[in-house]
Amino acid sequence: MCAILLQETVKSLPISSIDLQAEELVFEFAFHPITKEYKEIKIVYYAILYHDDPWLLQISTSEVQVFTLGGNSWRSIGEASYQINGSQGYMLNRKMHWLTRLGSCHGRHDRLIVSFDLAKEVFGEVPKVDFNLDLRIGKFPLAVLRGCLAVSVTLPHQNGGGTEIWLMKEYNVKESWVKEYIIGAYTTTPNSVTQHLVRVEEWRALASVRRWPGVFINI
């Protein structure tokens, strides 16, 4: 509904009063194991600048484009329903996954996990729990661990610090989110003793995690 109102608003404005400016790009390359297609996903976020003297009114819009390897052009499939935060996407269950920016979306002020079905080329939401996290100051970067969607939650210093790793044991089932690992904050002592709050085999299981900021795996 918002997209329709935006389009109608833009159409009603004089051409000379509009500037269209690309603000952000999101790129992902993925392979669909069933259709055997390689696809490039490009999400372009624009600012529509309406010059109404003496103020400058900015309205955001977006466009999703898909390029299939072997094709000869990009295909536009409409607007993005979500504001992707620009971090790396993760492929799981033939869908690409991202985290959204914190903001109002579909009547909620939240940070969402969204998916893009590579075959149907449609967006969707992945249900999540609150991860005991204050979204105003905390984030939960995504990853795929042991075939499950996972997030890394950095705990605030006032709560002792450290990191929690949550796994979605059954895809798309909110109740299946489990706090699988707790990595304690390290405190340097005069004897340089570090306290490990997870078992050695759990460290080995996490050794493949490479892109989570603040998580350091030493085996």
Side-chain angles (χ1 to χ4, degrees), residues 134-165:
D134 185 346
L135 294 177
R136 295 171 298 175
I137 59 176
K139 299 179 181 179
F140 47 98
L142 294 178
V144 173
L145 180 62
R146 298 210 309 264
C148 298
L149 196 63
V151 299
S152 166
V153 178
T154 302
L155 303 175
H157 294 296
Q158 59 266 32
N159 292 349
T163 302
E164 296 177 350
I165 309 299

Side-chain angles (χ1 to χ4, degrees), residues 125-141:
E125 291 183 28
V126 177
K128 65 176 181 63
V129 293
D130 59 15
F131 304 120
N132 301 318
L133 182 68
D134 185 346
L135 294 177
R136 295 171 298 175
I137 59 176
K139 299 179 181 179
F140 47 98

